[in-house]
PDB file of all heavy atoms in Angstrom:
ATOM      1  N   TYR A1464       4.217  -1.891   3.450  1.00 91.00           N
ATOM      2  CA  TYR A1464       3.014  -1.978   2.626  1.00 91.00           C
ATOM      3  C   TYR A1464       3.291  -2.720   1.322  1.00 91.00           C
ATOM      4  O   TYR A1464       2.470  -3.501   0.859  1.00 91.00           O
ATOM      5  CB  TYR A1464       2.469  -0.590   2.308  1.00 91.00           C
ATOM      6  CG  TYR A1464       1.957   0.189   3.491  1.00 91.00           C
ATOM      7  CD1 TYR A1464       2.016   1.575   3.505  1.00 91.00           C
ATOM      8  CD2 TYR A1464       1.404  -0.444   4.591  1.00 91.00           C
ATOM      9  CE1 TYR A1464       1.542   2.302   4.580  1.00 91.00           C
ATOM     10  CE2 TYR A1464       0.925   0.276   5.667  1.00 91.00           C
ATOM     11  CZ  TYR A1464       0.999   1.649   5.653  1.00 91.00           C
ATOM     12  OH  TYR A1464       0.524   2.366   6.710  1.00 91.00           O
ATOM     13  N   SER A1465       4.454  -2.463   0.734  1.00 89.00           N
ATOM     14  CA  SER A1465       4.805  -3.117  -0.526  1.00 89.00           C
ATOM     15  C   SER A1465       4.934  -4.628  -0.349  1.00 89.00           C
ATOM     16  O   SER A1465       4.481  -5.398  -1.199  1.00 89.00           O
ATOM     17  CB  SER A1465       6.108  -2.531  -1.058  1.00 89.00           C
ATOM     18  OG  SER A1465       6.475  -3.157  -2.246  1.00 89.00           O
ATOM     19  N   MET A1466       5.537  -5.033   0.764  1.00 91.00           N
ATOM     20  CA  MET A1466       5.657  -6.474   1.020  1.00 91.00           C
ATOM     21  C   MET A1466       4.289  -7.112   1.215  1.00 91.00           C
ATOM     22  O   MET A1466       4.023  -8.207   0.708  1.00 91.00           O
ATOM     23  CB  MET A1466       6.539  -6.726   2.244  1.00 91.00           C
ATOM     24  CG  MET A1466       7.999  -6.472   1.992  1.00 91.00           C
ATOM     25  SD  MET A1466       9.093  -6.964   3.329  1.00 91.00           S
ATOM     26  CE  MET A1466       8.501  -6.006   4.687  1.00 91.00           C
ATOM     27  N   LEU A1467       3.396  -6.449   1.937  1.00 89.00           N
ATOM     28  CA  LEU A1467       2.048  -6.979   2.120  1.00 89.00           C
ATOM     29  C   LEU A1467       1.291  -7.066   0.798  1.00 89.00           C
ATOM     30  O   LEU A1467       0.585  -8.047   0.539  1.00 89.00           O
ATOM     31  CB  LEU A1467       1.272  -6.113   3.113  1.00 89.00           C
ATOM     32  CG  LEU A1467       1.719  -6.201   4.565  1.00 89.00           C
ATOM     33  CD1 LEU A1467       0.971  -5.170   5.392  1.00 89.00           C
ATOM     34  CD2 LEU A1467       1.491  -7.584   5.111  1.00 89.00           C
ATOM     35  N   LEU A1468       1.448  -6.068  -0.047  1.00 89.00           N
ATOM     36  CA  LEU A1468       0.767  -6.086  -1.334  1.00 89.00           C
ATOM     37  C   LEU A1468       1.365  -7.125  -2.276  1.00 89.00           C
ATOM     38  O   LEU A1468       0.655  -7.695  -3.105  1.00 89.00           O
ATOM     39  CB  LEU A1468       0.791  -4.691  -1.965  1.00 89.00           C
ATOM     40  CG  LEU A1468      -0.089  -3.667  -1.244  1.00 89.00           C
ATOM     41  CD1 LEU A1468       0.157  -2.283  -1.795  1.00 89.00           C
ATOM     42  CD2 LEU A1468      -1.546  -4.041  -1.333  1.00 89.00           C
ATOM     43  N   ASP A1469       2.672  -7.398  -2.162  1.00 89.00           N
ATOM     44  CA  ASP A1469       3.269  -8.495  -2.936  1.00 89.00           C
ATOM     45  C   ASP A1469       2.676  -9.828  -2.516  1.00 89.00           C
ATOM     46  O   ASP A1469       2.435 -10.700  -3.355  1.00 89.00           O
ATOM     47  CB  ASP A1469       4.786  -8.530  -2.756  1.00 89.00           C
ATOM     48  CG  ASP A1469       5.496  -7.537  -3.641  1.00 89.00           C
ATOM     49  OD1 ASP A1469       4.885  -7.111  -4.648  1.00 89.00           O
ATOM     50  OD2 ASP A1469       6.646  -7.199  -3.335  1.00 89.00           O
ATOM     51  N   TYR A1470       2.448  -9.992  -1.230  1.00 88.00           N
ATOM     52  CA  TYR A1470       1.810 -11.213  -0.745  1.00 88.00           C
ATOM     53  C   TYR A1470       0.414 -11.355  -1.355  1.00 88.00           C
ATOM     54  O   TYR A1470       0.034 -12.433  -1.811  1.00 88.00           O
ATOM     55  CB  TYR A1470       1.732 -11.186   0.784  1.00 88.00           C
ATOM     56  CG  TYR A1470       0.934 -12.321   1.369  1.00 88.00           C
ATOM     57  CD1 TYR A1470       1.502 -13.579   1.512  1.00 88.00           C
ATOM     58  CD2 TYR A1470      -0.386 -12.134   1.764  1.00 88.00           C
ATOM     59  CE1 TYR A1470       0.768 -14.633   2.039  1.00 88.00           C
ATOM     60  CE2 TYR A1470      -1.126 -13.169   2.290  1.00 88.00           C
ATOM     61  CZ  TYR A1470      -0.544 -14.419   2.431  1.00 88.00           C
ATOM     62  OH  TYR A1470      -1.276 -15.450   2.944  1.00 88.00           O
ATOM     63  N   LEU A1471      -0.346 -10.258  -1.355  1.00 85.00           N
ATOM     64  CA  LEU A1471      -1.684 -10.295  -1.944  1.00 85.00           C
ATOM     65  C   LEU A1471      -1.625 -10.592  -3.439  1.00 85.00           C
ATOM     66  O   LEU A1471      -2.469 -11.301  -3.971  1.00 85.00           O
ATOM     67  CB  LEU A1471      -2.405  -8.968  -1.713  1.00 85.00           C
ATOM     68  CG  LEU A1471      -2.840  -8.672  -0.292  1.00 85.00           C
ATOM     69  CD1 LEU A1471      -3.440  -7.281  -0.211  1.00 85.00           C
ATOM     70  CD2 LEU A1471      -3.821  -9.711   0.203  1.00 85.00           C
ATOM     71  N   ARG A1472      -0.614 -10.047  -4.118  1.00 86.00           N
ATOM     72  CA  ARG A1472      -0.475 -10.302  -5.543  1.00 86.00           C
ATOM     73  C   ARG A1472      -0.169 -11.772  -5.813  1.00 86.00           C
ATOM     74  O   ARG A1472      -0.737 -12.379  -6.719  1.00 86.00           O
ATOM     75  CB  ARG A1472       0.634  -9.429  -6.127  1.00 86.00           C
ATOM     76  CG  ARG A1472       0.734  -9.548  -7.648  1.00 86.00           C
ATOM     77  CD  ARG A1472       2.002  -8.966  -8.173  1.00 86.00           C
ATOM     78  NE  ARG A1472       3.096  -9.795  -7.673  1.00 86.00           N
ATOM     79  CZ  ARG A1472       4.354  -9.414  -7.630  1.00 86.00           C
ATOM     80  NH1 ARG A1472       4.695  -8.222  -8.027  1.00 86.00           N
ATOM     81  NH2 ARG A1472       5.289 -10.210  -7.170  1.00 86.00           N
ATOM     82  N   ASP A1473       0.696 -12.342  -5.007  1.00 87.00           N
ATOM     83  CA  ASP A1473       1.100 -13.735  -5.223  1.00 87.00           C
ATOM     84  C   ASP A1473      -0.019 -14.719  -4.924  1.00 87.00           C
ATOM     85  O   ASP A1473      -0.203 -15.690  -5.655  1.00 87.00           O
ATOM     86  CB  ASP A1473       2.321 -14.074  -4.368  1.00 87.00           C
ATOM     87  CG  ASP A1473       3.571 -13.338  -4.831  1.00 87.00           C
ATOM     88  OD1 ASP A1473       3.578 -12.860  -5.982  1.00 87.00           O
ATOM     89  OD2 ASP A1473       4.521 -13.237  -4.031  1.00 87.00           O
ATOM     90  N   TYR A1474      -0.751 -14.488  -3.865  1.00 87.00           N
ATOM     91  CA  TYR A1474      -1.733 -15.485  -3.435  1.00 87.00           C
ATOM     92  C   TYR A1474      -3.169 -15.173  -3.854  1.00 87.00           C
ATOM     93  O   TYR A1474      -4.005 -16.055  -3.845  1.00 87.00           O
ATOM     94  CB  TYR A1474      -1.670 -15.662  -1.919  1.00 87.00           C
ATOM     95  CG  TYR A1474      -0.381 -16.335  -1.510  1.00 87.00           C
ATOM     96  CD1 TYR A1474       0.666 -15.598  -0.967  1.00 87.00           C
ATOM     97  CD2 TYR A1474      -0.203 -17.699  -1.696  1.00 87.00           C
ATOM     98  CE1 TYR A1474       1.849 -16.220  -0.609  1.00 87.00           C
ATOM     99  CE2 TYR A1474       0.985 -18.315  -1.343  1.00 87.00           C
ATOM    100  CZ  TYR A1474       2.001 -17.563  -0.805  1.00 87.00           C
ATOM    101  OH  TYR A1474       3.175 -18.168  -0.460  1.00 87.00           O
ATOM    102  N   TYR A1475      -3.447 -13.907  -4.187  1.00 85.00           N
ATOM    103  CA  TYR A1475      -4.816 -13.549  -4.540  1.00 85.00           C
ATOM    104  C   TYR A1475      -4.931 -12.898  -5.918  1.00 85.00           C
ATOM    105  O   TYR A1475      -5.991 -12.412  -6.286  1.00 85.00           O
ATOM    106  CB  TYR A1475      -5.426 -12.620  -3.480  1.00 85.00           C
ATOM    107  CG  TYR A1475      -5.536 -13.297  -2.135  1.00 85.00           C
ATOM    108  CD1 TYR A1475      -4.653 -12.993  -1.120  1.00 85.00           C
ATOM    109  CD2 TYR A1475      -6.508 -14.258  -1.917  1.00 85.00           C
ATOM    110  CE1 TYR A1475      -4.743 -13.618   0.107  1.00 85.00           C
ATOM    111  CE2 TYR A1475      -6.610 -14.893  -0.693  1.00 85.00           C
ATOM    112  CZ  TYR A1475      -5.727 -14.572   0.318  1.00 85.00           C
ATOM    113  OH  TYR A1475      -5.813 -15.196   1.523  1.00 85.00           O
ATOM    114  N   GLY A1476      -3.843 -12.848  -6.676  1.00 83.00           N
ATOM    115  CA  GLY A1476      -3.879 -12.345  -8.041  1.00 83.00           C
ATOM    116  C   GLY A1476      -4.119 -10.855  -8.156  1.00 83.00           C
ATOM    117  O   GLY A1476      -4.824 -10.411  -9.058  1.00 83.00           O
ATOM    118  N   LEU A1477      -3.534 -10.071  -7.271  1.00 79.00           N
ATOM    119  CA  LEU A1477      -3.707  -8.623  -7.303  1.00 79.00           C
ATOM    120  C   LEU A1477      -2.977  -8.043  -8.514  1.00 79.00           C
ATOM    121  O   LEU A1477      -1.824  -8.364  -8.776  1.00 79.00           O
ATOM    122  CB  LEU A1477      -3.156  -8.003  -6.012  1.00 79.00           C
ATOM    123  CG  LEU A1477      -3.411  -6.538  -5.769  1.00 79.00           C
ATOM    124  CD1 LEU A1477      -4.910  -6.297  -5.594  1.00 79.00           C
ATOM    125  CD2 LEU A1477      -2.667  -6.070  -4.541  1.00 79.00           C
ATOM    126  N   ASN A1478      -3.653  -7.205  -9.273  1.00 87.00           N
ATOM    127  CA  ASN A1478      -3.100  -6.581 -10.465  1.00 87.00           C
ATOM    128  C   ASN A1478      -2.010  -5.568 -10.069  1.00 87.00           C
ATOM    129  O   ASN A1478      -2.068  -4.949  -9.011  1.00 87.00           O
ATOM    130  CB  ASN A1478      -4.244  -5.882 -11.199  1.00 87.00           C
ATOM    131  CG  ASN A1478      -3.847  -5.410 -12.563  1.00 87.00           C
ATOM    132  OD1 ASN A1478      -2.688  -5.490 -12.937  1.00 87.00           O
ATOM    133  ND2 ASN A1478      -4.826  -4.919 -13.296  1.00 87.00           N
ATOM    134  N   TYR A1479      -1.009  -5.356 -10.953  1.00 86.00           N
ATOM    135  CA  TYR A1479       0.099  -4.445 -10.662  1.00 86.00           C
ATOM    136  C   TYR A1479      -0.385  -2.999 -10.517  1.00 86.00           C
ATOM    137  O   TYR A1479       0.050  -2.287  -9.607  1.00 86.00           O
ATOM    138  CB  TYR A1479       1.151  -4.541 -11.767  1.00 86.00           C
ATOM    139  CG  TYR A1479       2.358  -3.677 -11.533  1.00 86.00           C
ATOM    140  CD1 TYR A1479       3.287  -4.017 -10.554  1.00 86.00           C
ATOM    141  CD2 TYR A1479       2.563  -2.517 -12.263  1.00 86.00           C
ATOM    142  CE1 TYR A1479       4.390  -3.222 -10.321  1.00 86.00           C
ATOM    143  CE2 TYR A1479       3.656  -1.723 -12.037  1.00 86.00           C
ATOM    144  CZ  TYR A1479       4.575  -2.080 -11.072  1.00 86.00           C
ATOM    145  OH  TYR A1479       5.651  -1.282 -10.835  1.00 86.00           O
ATOM    146  N   ILE A1480      -1.280  -2.563 -11.397  1.00 88.00           N
ATOM    147  CA  ILE A1480      -1.791  -1.189 -11.333  1.00 88.00           C
ATOM    148  C   ILE A1480      -2.585  -0.983 -10.040  1.00 88.00           C
ATOM    149  O   ILE A1480      -2.440   0.047  -9.374  1.00 88.00           O
ATOM    150  CB  ILE A1480      -2.677  -0.881 -12.563  1.00 88.00           C
ATOM    151  CG1 ILE A1480      -1.885  -1.020 -13.859  1.00 88.00           C
ATOM    152  CG2 ILE A1480      -3.309   0.492 -12.453  1.00 88.00           C
ATOM    153  CD1 ILE A1480      -0.719  -0.072 -13.988  1.00 88.00           C
ATOM    154  N   VAL A1481      -3.379  -1.962  -9.674  1.00 88.00           N
ATOM    155  CA  VAL A1481      -4.152  -1.876  -8.428  1.00 88.00           C
ATOM    156  C   VAL A1481      -3.204  -1.834  -7.236  1.00 88.00           C
ATOM    157  O   VAL A1481      -3.421  -1.081  -6.283  1.00 88.00           O
ATOM    158  CB  VAL A1481      -5.138  -3.056  -8.314  1.00 88.00           C
ATOM    159  CG1 VAL A1481      -5.848  -3.048  -6.981  1.00 88.00           C
ATOM    160  CG2 VAL A1481      -6.132  -3.026  -9.456  1.00 88.00           C
ATOM    161  N   LYS A1482      -2.127  -2.606  -7.312  1.00 88.00           N
ATOM    162  CA  LYS A1482      -1.132  -2.610  -6.241  1.00 88.00           C
ATOM    163  C   LYS A1482      -0.525  -1.218  -6.071  1.00 88.00           C
ATOM    164  O   LYS A1482      -0.394  -0.723  -4.948  1.00 88.00           O
ATOM    165  CB  LYS A1482      -0.038  -3.620  -6.552  1.00 88.00           C
ATOM    166  CG  LYS A1482       1.084  -3.623  -5.550  1.00 88.00           C
ATOM    167  CD  LYS A1482       2.241  -4.474  -6.007  1.00 88.00           C
ATOM    168  CE  LYS A1482       3.422  -4.205  -5.115  1.00 88.00           C
ATOM    169  NZ  LYS A1482       4.644  -4.772  -5.606  1.00 88.00           N
ATOM    170  N   LEU A1483      -0.174  -0.573  -7.177  1.00 88.00           N
ATOM    171  CA  LEU A1483       0.407   0.766  -7.091  1.00 88.00           C
ATOM    172  C   LEU A1483      -0.593   1.783  -6.551  1.00 88.00           C
ATOM    173  O   LEU A1483      -0.229   2.663  -5.762  1.00 88.00           O
ATOM    174  CB  LEU A1483       0.913   1.208  -8.463  1.00 88.00           C
ATOM    175  CG  LEU A1483       2.180   0.531  -8.947  1.00 88.00           C
ATOM    176  CD1 LEU A1483       2.541   1.040 -10.335  1.00 88.00           C
ATOM    177  CD2 LEU A1483       3.327   0.752  -7.993  1.00 88.00           C
ATOM    178  N   LEU A1484      -1.846   1.669  -6.961  1.00 92.00           N
ATOM    179  CA  LEU A1484      -2.867   2.589  -6.446  1.00 92.00           C
ATOM    180  C   LEU A1484      -3.066   2.420  -4.947  1.00 92.00           C
ATOM    181  O   LEU A1484      -3.124   3.403  -4.196  1.00 92.00           O
ATOM    182  CB  LEU A1484      -4.187   2.376  -7.182  1.00 92.00           C
ATOM    183  CG  LEU A1484      -4.240   2.872  -8.620  1.00 92.00           C
ATOM    184  CD1 LEU A1484      -5.545   2.426  -9.272  1.00 92.00           C
ATOM    185  CD2 LEU A1484      -4.092   4.372  -8.665  1.00 92.00           C
ATOM    186  N   ILE A1485      -3.167   1.179  -4.500  1.00 91.00           N
ATOM    187  CA  ILE A1485      -3.346   0.920  -3.063  1.00 91.00           C
ATOM    188  C   ILE A1485      -2.128   1.398  -2.287  1.00 91.00           C
ATOM    189  O   ILE A1485      -2.261   1.999  -1.208  1.00 91.00           O
ATOM    190  CB  ILE A1485      -3.625  -0.570  -2.808  1.00 91.00           C
ATOM    191  CG1 ILE A1485      -4.976  -0.962  -3.401  1.00 91.00           C
ATOM    192  CG2 ILE A1485      -3.592  -0.886  -1.322  1.00 91.00           C
ATOM    193  CD1 ILE A1485      -5.250  -2.442  -3.361  1.00 91.00           C
ATOM    194  N   LEU A1486      -0.930   1.166  -2.822  1.00 91.00           N
ATOM    195  CA  LEU A1486       0.291   1.602  -2.149  1.00 91.00           C
ATOM    196  C   LEU A1486       0.324   3.121  -2.034  1.00 91.00           C
ATOM    197  O   LEU A1486       0.671   3.663  -0.977  1.00 91.00           O
ATOM    198  CB  LEU A1486       1.515   1.093  -2.908  1.00 91.00           C
ATOM    199  CG  LEU A1486       2.883   1.418  -2.310  1.00 91.00           C
ATOM    200  CD1 LEU A1486       3.009   0.773  -0.939  1.00 91.00           C
ATOM    201  CD2 LEU A1486       3.978   0.936  -3.230  1.00 91.00           C
ATOM    202  N   GLY A1487      -0.043   3.819  -3.094  1.00 92.00           N
ATOM    203  CA  GLY A1487      -0.081   5.280  -3.049  1.00 92.00           C
ATOM    204  C   GLY A1487      -1.071   5.797  -2.026  1.00 92.00           C
ATOM    205  O   GLY A1487      -0.791   6.754  -1.295  1.00 92.00           O
ATOM    206  N   ILE A1488      -2.240   5.180  -1.960  1.00 94.00           N
ATOM    207  CA  ILE A1488      -3.260   5.593  -0.989  1.00 94.00           C
ATOM    208  C   ILE A1488      -2.776   5.337   0.437  1.00 94.00           C
ATOM    209  O   ILE A1488      -2.906   6.207   1.311  1.00 94.00           O
ATOM    210  CB  ILE A1488      -4.589   4.876  -1.268  1.00 94.00           C
ATOM    211  CG1 ILE A1488      -5.193   5.392  -2.579  1.00 94.00           C
ATOM    212  CG2 ILE A1488      -5.562   5.058  -0.113  1.00 94.00           C
ATOM    213  CD1 ILE A1488      -6.353   4.583  -3.080  1.00 94.00           C
ATOM    214  N   LEU A1489      -2.204   4.170   0.682  1.00 93.00           N
ATOM    215  CA  LEU A1489      -1.727   3.852   2.031  1.00 93.00           C
ATOM    216  C   LEU A1489      -0.605   4.785   2.472  1.00 93.00           C
ATOM    217  O   LEU A1489      -0.586   5.247   3.619  1.00 93.00           O
ATOM    218  CB  LEU A1489      -1.249   2.397   2.094  1.00 93.00           C
ATOM    219  CG  LEU A1489      -2.318   1.322   2.074  1.00 93.00           C
ATOM    220  CD1 LEU A1489      -1.682  -0.055   1.974  1.00 93.00           C
ATOM    221  CD2 LEU A1489      -3.187   1.412   3.304  1.00 93.00           C
ATOM    222  N   VAL A1490       0.329   5.078   1.580  1.00 92.00           N
ATOM    223  CA  VAL A1490       1.426   5.972   1.937  1.00 92.00           C
ATOM    224  C   VAL A1490       0.901   7.393   2.164  1.00 92.00           C
ATOM    225  O   VAL A1490       1.330   8.080   3.093  1.00 92.00           O
ATOM    226  CB  VAL A1490       2.527   5.943   0.852  1.00 92.00           C
ATOM    227  CG1 VAL A1490       3.536   7.051   1.060  1.00 92.00           C
ATOM    228  CG2 VAL A1490       3.225   4.595   0.858  1.00 92.00           C
ATOM    229  N   GLY A1491      -0.048   7.830   1.349  1.00 93.00           N
ATOM    230  CA  GLY A1491      -0.637   9.156   1.540  1.00 93.00           C
ATOM    231  C   GLY A1491      -1.360   9.280   2.865  1.00 93.00           C
ATOM    232  O   GLY A1491      -1.220  10.285   3.568  1.00 93.00           O
ATOM    233  N   VAL A1492      -2.129   8.275   3.223  1.00 94.00           N
ATOM    234  CA  VAL A1492      -2.845   8.287   4.500  1.00 94.00           C
ATOM    235  C   VAL A1492      -1.853   8.262   5.655  1.00 94.00           C
ATOM    236  O   VAL A1492      -2.012   8.996   6.643  1.00 94.00           O
ATOM    237  CB  VAL A1492      -3.828   7.097   4.577  1.00 94.00           C
ATOM    238  CG1 VAL A1492      -4.357   6.912   5.976  1.00 94.00           C
ATOM    239  CG2 VAL A1492      -4.971   7.298   3.591  1.00 94.00           C
ATOM    240  N   THR A1493      -0.813   7.455   5.537  1.00 93.00           N
ATOM    241  CA  THR A1493       0.207   7.395   6.585  1.00 93.00           C
ATOM    242  C   THR A1493       0.887   8.749   6.750  1.00 93.00           C
ATOM    243  O   THR A1493       1.135   9.198   7.872  1.00 93.00           O
ATOM    244  CB  THR A1493       1.251   6.313   6.251  1.00 93.00           C
ATOM    245  OG1 THR A1493       0.588   5.072   6.091  1.00 93.00           O
ATOM    246  CG2 THR A1493       2.290   6.196   7.339  1.00 93.00           C
ATOM    247  N   TYR A1494       1.188   9.417   5.637  1.00 92.00           N
ATOM    248  CA  TYR A1494       1.821  10.730   5.694  1.00 92.00           C
ATOM    249  C   TYR A1494       0.925  11.742   6.413  1.00 92.00           C
ATOM    250  O   TYR A1494       1.394  12.502   7.263  1.00 92.00           O
ATOM    251  CB  TYR A1494       2.139  11.213   4.274  1.00 92.00           C
ATOM    252  CG  TYR A1494       2.818  12.548   4.239  1.00 92.00           C
ATOM    253  CD1 TYR A1494       4.191  12.650   4.465  1.00 92.00           C
ATOM    254  CD2 TYR A1494       2.112  13.716   3.983  1.00 92.00           C
ATOM    255  CE1 TYR A1494       4.827  13.871   4.442  1.00 92.00           C
ATOM    256  CE2 TYR A1494       2.738  14.939   3.962  1.00 92.00           C
ATOM    257  CZ  TYR A1494       4.096  15.018   4.187  1.00 92.00           C
ATOM    258  OH  TYR A1494       4.718  16.227   4.174  1.00 92.00           O
ATOM    259  N   LYS A1495      -0.358  11.742   6.087  1.00 93.00           N
ATOM    260  CA  LYS A1495      -1.282  12.680   6.724  1.00 93.00           C
ATOM    261  C   LYS A1495      -1.422  12.403   8.218  1.00 93.00           C
ATOM    262  O   LYS A1495      -1.488  13.330   9.030  1.00 93.00           O
ATOM    263  CB  LYS A1495      -2.660  12.623   6.052  1.00 93.00           C
ATOM    264  CG  LYS A1495      -2.682  13.276   4.710  1.00 93.00           C
ATOM    265  CD  LYS A1495      -2.405  14.760   4.872  1.00 93.00           C
ATOM    266  CE  LYS A1495      -2.489  15.452   3.533  1.00 93.00           C
ATOM    267  NZ  LYS A1495      -2.191  16.880   3.631  1.00 93.00           N
ATOM    268  N   VAL A1496      -1.479  11.139   8.600  1.00 92.00           N
ATOM    269  CA  VAL A1496      -1.579  10.787  10.023  1.00 92.00           C
ATOM    270  C   VAL A1496      -0.337  11.247  10.770  1.00 92.00           C
ATOM    271  O   VAL A1496      -0.421  11.831  11.856  1.00 92.00           O
ATOM    272  CB  VAL A1496      -1.814   9.268  10.195  1.00 92.00           C
ATOM    273  CG1 VAL A1496      -1.614   8.834  11.625  1.00 92.00           C
ATOM    274  CG2 VAL A1496      -3.197   8.884   9.700  1.00 92.00           C
ATOM    275  N   MET A1497       0.834  11.003  10.183  1.00 90.00           N
ATOM    276  CA  MET A1497       2.074  11.427  10.832  1.00 90.00           C
ATOM    277  C   MET A1497       2.151  12.949  10.913  1.00 90.00           C
ATOM    278  O   MET A1497       2.656  13.494  11.900  1.00 90.00           O
ATOM    279  CB  MET A1497       3.275  10.856  10.085  1.00 90.00           C
ATOM    280  CG  MET A1497       3.412   9.365  10.252  1.00 90.00           C
ATOM    281  SD  MET A1497       4.708   8.658   9.266  1.00 90.00           S
ATOM    282  CE  MET A1497       6.119   9.470   9.938  1.00 90.00           C
ATOM    283  N   GLU A1498       1.650  13.649   9.903  1.00 91.00           N
ATOM    284  CA  GLU A1498       1.632  15.098   9.908  1.00 91.00           C
ATOM    285  C   GLU A1498       0.743  15.634  11.033  1.00 91.00           C
ATOM    286  O   GLU A1498       1.115  16.575  11.735  1.00 91.00           O
ATOM    287  CB  GLU A1498       1.128  15.580   8.550  1.00 91.00           C
ATOM    288  CG  GLU A1498       1.410  17.005   8.231  1.00 91.00           C
ATOM    289  CD  GLU A1498       1.006  17.330   6.809  1.00 91.00           C
ATOM    290  OE1 GLU A1498      -0.203  17.241   6.508  1.00 91.00           O
ATOM    291  OE2 GLU A1498       1.900  17.641   6.013  1.00 91.00           O
ATOM    292  N   LYS A1499      -0.420  15.024  11.221  1.00 91.00           N
ATOM    293  CA  LYS A1499      -1.318  15.454  12.295  1.00 91.00           C
ATOM    294  C   LYS A1499      -0.708  15.196  13.668  1.00 91.00           C
ATOM    295  O   LYS A1499      -0.831  16.015  14.576  1.00 91.00           O
ATOM    296  CB  LYS A1499      -2.666  14.747  12.177  1.00 91.00           C
ATOM    297  CG  LYS A1499      -3.504  15.294  11.065  1.00 91.00           C
ATOM    298  CD  LYS A1499      -4.871  14.678  11.055  1.00 91.00           C
ATOM    299  CE  LYS A1499      -5.683  15.273   9.920  1.00 91.00           C
ATOM    300  NZ  LYS A1499      -7.077  14.885   9.967  1.00 91.00           N
ATOM    301  N   ILE A1500      -0.050  14.058  13.834  1.00 88.00           N
ATOM    302  CA  ILE A1500       0.600  13.750  15.105  1.00 88.00           C
ATOM    303  C   ILE A1500       1.699  14.764  15.394  1.00 88.00           C
ATOM    304  O   ILE A1500       1.846  15.251  16.516  1.00 88.00           O
ATOM    305  CB  ILE A1500       1.151  12.307  15.096  1.00 88.00           C
ATOM    306  CG1 ILE A1500       0.003  11.307  15.105  1.00 88.00           C
ATOM    307  CG2 ILE A1500       2.087  12.068  16.271  1.00 88.00           C
ATOM    308  CD1 ILE A1500       0.432   9.877  14.886  1.00 88.00           C
ATOM    309  N   GLU A1501       2.468  15.110  14.363  1.00 86.00           N
ATOM    310  CA  GLU A1501       3.541  16.082  14.542  1.00 86.00           C
ATOM    311  C   GLU A1501       2.975  17.460  14.897  1.00 86.00           C
ATOM    312  O   GLU A1501       3.523  18.156  15.754  1.00 86.00           O
ATOM    313  CB  GLU A1501       4.364  16.177  13.258  1.00 86.00           C
ATOM    314  CG  GLU A1501       5.577  17.063  13.379  1.00 86.00           C
ATOM    315  CD  GLU A1501       6.423  17.032  12.128  1.00 86.00           C
ATOM    316  OE1 GLU A1501       6.512  15.975  11.497  1.00 86.00           O
ATOM    317  OE2 GLU A1501       6.984  18.089  11.795  1.00 86.00           O
TER     318      GLU A1501
END
């Protein structure tokens, strides 16, 4: 996710704070999905 968001930052001007928020949301959603599967 971090690599994808770096790409968005480089080519689309994504703000650093927005990048961290999106990364936190994506990791949280991934954690919940993995928890449900388990």
Side-chain angles (χ1 to χ4, degrees):
Y1464 294 150
S1465 179
M1466 287 188 301
L1467 289 173
L1468 290 171
D1469 279 340
Y1470 173 80
L1471 289 176
R1472 186 194 66 198
D1473 292 342
Y1474 291 103
Y1475 297 104
L1477 188 65
N1478 190 354
Y1479 182 72
I1480 299 298
V1481 175
K1482 176 189 168 191
L1483 287 178
L1484 288 173
I1485 293 172
L1486 182 62
I1488 291 169
L1489 287 173
V1490 169
V1492 168
T1493 303
Y1494 181 81
K1495 286 296 183 182
V1496 167
M1497 290 174 62
E1498 197 174 64
K1499 285 186 179 189
I1500 291 171
E1501 185 175 325

